[in-house]
Structure formats: structure tokens, C-alpha cells
Amino acid sequence: MDTIKIYGIEFYAYHGVLDSEKELGQTFRIDCEFSLDSSVCNDDINKTVNYGQVALDIKEFASQNRYDLLESLANKLASYLLQKYELMDDIKLAVHKPHAPIATKFDDVTMTVRRKRERVYLAIGSNLGDRKDNLDYVGKAIDSDPSIKLLAKSSYIETKPYGVLDQPDFLNGAIKVETIYTPKELLDFCKRTEKLAGRVATRRWGERVLDVDILMYGNNTVFTDDLIIPHPEMHIRDFVLRPLEEIEPHLIHPIKNKSIRELLKEVE
């Protein structure tokens, strides 16, 4: 992708932990880089990102909001800009705080973040209550959240329970979204959606009102205590692969290096 860079956007603001920083304020600077496809603009400013307006947006947002941490400012600003400018593929922000209250000589303090849009695949399932309504709730949650956009949704299939057999049959599906959430933020979105739909804690692999699992997050891999991407069992679960194959049959699993259609054939 092509890149536009705006360096040294200066403003006066009140970000900081200390009371003196909140009351007196200080000068900050922000460097901004973002990627887009410039080949489609055809010399029309309405088909590209107006970097002059981006600079003004950065100054206004950073001046009018107050945060204790540079990390919060950088993350909130990145999300705001990606939500406003859909032609931005990714963005990198460096927030400079040259007058930070540090008890030694220094030149600058800089906090840098990079965020991008990712194509993500989710598995959804339910076997309690109105199962279809529960699965449809995920789409409603996505529609109401500016950080995530629905791109495709499979039809729903009925499947037998997995792991624990003495429970009702499931209704399962898969959805494709575009999001600016990080993997951990997306996990929070999934858990929050489950809770709002009425899910409560039960036995492992047991019955649930709604289950929302992250299957793939672009071509990225994540391995932490609470999140593994790609989903560690997606390649052996028929009820995951069948809906996913419907909407993205040629999607390549980043570890197995096989398409969803190939993985499904192996399971079948």
C-alpha cells in the first residue's frame, strides 16, 4: 500500500498523571503515517484521504480530550481516525511529550502505536433458548459497534453436541468481519456479546446461550494464556468448517497451509 506521512503536528493539551500536568498543560507533537491505495483516486480528493483534514482532526481530538497516559491518547486517536477514514488501511502514530516531568536531562518521550484493519473470521453457536435469535444477536452487536463491520455471514446448520453429549443440539454459523480491534480487544467484544445475549458460566463444552469464538485474525498467530489464534481445534471441527467453507472456501489456514475446503474434506 502507499503511504502518507504528516510529521510534527503540534498542540497544547493536558495529558498526564500529575495534577500539575492536568492544570497547566504542555506542548505535544504527533507524527502520523497511514497507508491507502492511491491508484484509485484519479486526481479526485474525494477518492483519497485529505491529509490536511487529518492533521486538523488530530490536533482537535488531542487538544479537546484528556488522558493520564500517552498510551491511552495514542490508542484512542488511532481508533478515531480509522473509524472516520475508511480508505485508511492502517495507521501509525507517534505521540511526543518533550516536556514530560522527568527528573533528569532528556530530549523527548515518545509513544508509538500502529493499528490496521484486519479480516477476521468468527464461529458462532447456540443450543439454549431461541438459537437463531441468539446467533442473529451477534450481527446486531456488530452493527452497533463502529470498530467492527460485518462482511459476510453463513447460513445456520444444526449439529450434534461436541465434547459433552448429554445436551441439546446446536445451531452453528460463521461470520466474516473487518475490524480495527486488536486480538485482545476483539476477545473482549466476543465475551461482552456473549454476556449481553444471556450466557452464564456452565460446564466446559456444555450448553450455552451463545458462543462466539475467534477462528482467524488475518494471517496472524496469537498464543497467550487466554487466547490462541488460529483457533486450535477449528481444523478438526466439522461444525466450524462447514459454515466457514460456505463463505470463504479458499481461505488458507496460516499454520496448516491448507484451504478451508481442503480441511473440511479431511474431516469428512
Side-chain angles (χ1 to χ4, degrees):
M1 301 296 286
D2 309 316
T3 303
I4 294 178
K5 302 178 181 180
I6 316 169
Y7 289 165
I9 302 169
E10 191 169 284
F11 56 93
Y12 200 86
Y14 299 84
H15 308 293
V17 175
L18 301 181
D19 290 340
S20 58
E21 297 178 288
K22 301 177 189 297
E23 295 171 4
L24 301 177
Q26 58 190 290
T27 299
F28 295 81
R29 293 193 314 275
I30 290 181
D31 300 331
C32 173
E33 301 179 18
F34 57 88
S35 299
L36 74 167
D37 183 1
S38 67
S39 67
V40 300
C41 73
N42 297 319
D43 207 30
D44 183 350
I45 195 171
N46 295 312
K47 295 180 180 180
T48 186
V49 176
N50 185 336
Y51 52 79
Q53 186 59 51
V54 171
L56 293 177
D57 288 339
I58 289 173
K59 181 177 181 180
E60 180 180 16
F61 183 95
S63 299
Q64 292 185 357
N65 291 282
R66 299 191 180 197
Y67 300 101
D68 285 356
L69 303 178
L70 294 183
E71 293 90 328
S72 298
L73 171 60
N75 277 278
K76 296 293 186 181
L77 179 56
S79 295
Y80 167 74
L81 293 171
L82 285 172
Q83 288 173 14
K84 181 172 182 178
Y85 295 98
E86 293 187 358
L87 292 179
M88 285 185 182
D89 183 64
D90 66 11
I91 190 167
K92 179 181 178 181
L93 294 172
V95 182
H96 299 268
K97 190 176 182 180
H99 306 295
I102 300 176
T104 186
K105 182 176 175 57
F106 70 101
D107 291 328
D108 193 11
V109 174
T110 306
M111 171 62 197
T112 302
V113 300
R114 183 166 188 171
R115 299 288 179 262
K116 68 175 297 185
R117 303 183 192 279
E118 288 285 2
R119 295 289 176 92
V120 175
Y121 299 87
L122 305 175
I124 54 178
S126 172
N127 73 335
L128 291 179
D130 188 328
R131 299 175 302 169
K132 181 181 181 302
D133 189 59
N134 295 337
L135 299 190
D136 288 343
Y137 181 79
V138 181
K140 296 175 183 177
I142 291 171
D143 289 341
S144 64
D145 191 321
S147 296
I148 186 168
K149 180 170 67 174
L150 181 65
L151 300 179
K153 182 174 73 172
S154 74
S155 56
Y156 299 150
I157 61 172
E158 188 154 4
T159 64
K160 295 297 181 182
Y162 177 85
V164 177
L165 303 182
D166 60 331
Q167 58 179 314
D169 290 348
F170 276 82
L171 204 62
N172 291 103
I175 55 179
K176 174 184 178 181
V177 301
E178 180 182 85
T179 185
I180 62 175
Y181 279 141
T182 65
K184 287 296 185 68
E185 289 173 331
L186 183 61
L187 178 63
D188 289 342
F189 168 84
C190 294
K191 296 302 181 186
R192 183 168 63 250
T193 301
E194 291 174 345
K195 185 176 181 180
L196 290 173
R199 178 170 177 172
V200 295
T202 61
R203 52 186 174 167
R204 188 186 182 197
W205 289 337
E207 47 280 297
R208 72 283 309 269
V209 170
L210 179 63
D211 196 19
V212 184
D213 287 331
I214 304 172
L215 300 177
M216 292 174 57
Y217 183 92
N219 289 320
N220 299 283
T221 58
V222 177
F223 192 88
T224 65
D225 291 340
D226 58 349
L227 181 61
I228 300 176
I229 302 175
H231 191 286
E233 294 190 6
M234 65 172 286
H235 63 288
I236 60 173
R237 293 183 176 183
D238 169 83
F239 61 89
V240 169
L241 295 173
R242 283 169 57 197
L244 188 55
E245 194 263 350
E246 178 185 326
I247 61 174
E248 204 75 279
H250 304 297
L251 177 68
I252 301 297
H253 191 289
I255 295 177
K256 299 298 179 181
N257 200 30
K258 295 180 180 180
S259 71
I260 299 303
R261 178 163 292 172
E262 290 172 320
L263 293 173
L264 179 57
K265 287 181 179 180
E266 290 182 357
V267 171
E268 291 175 340

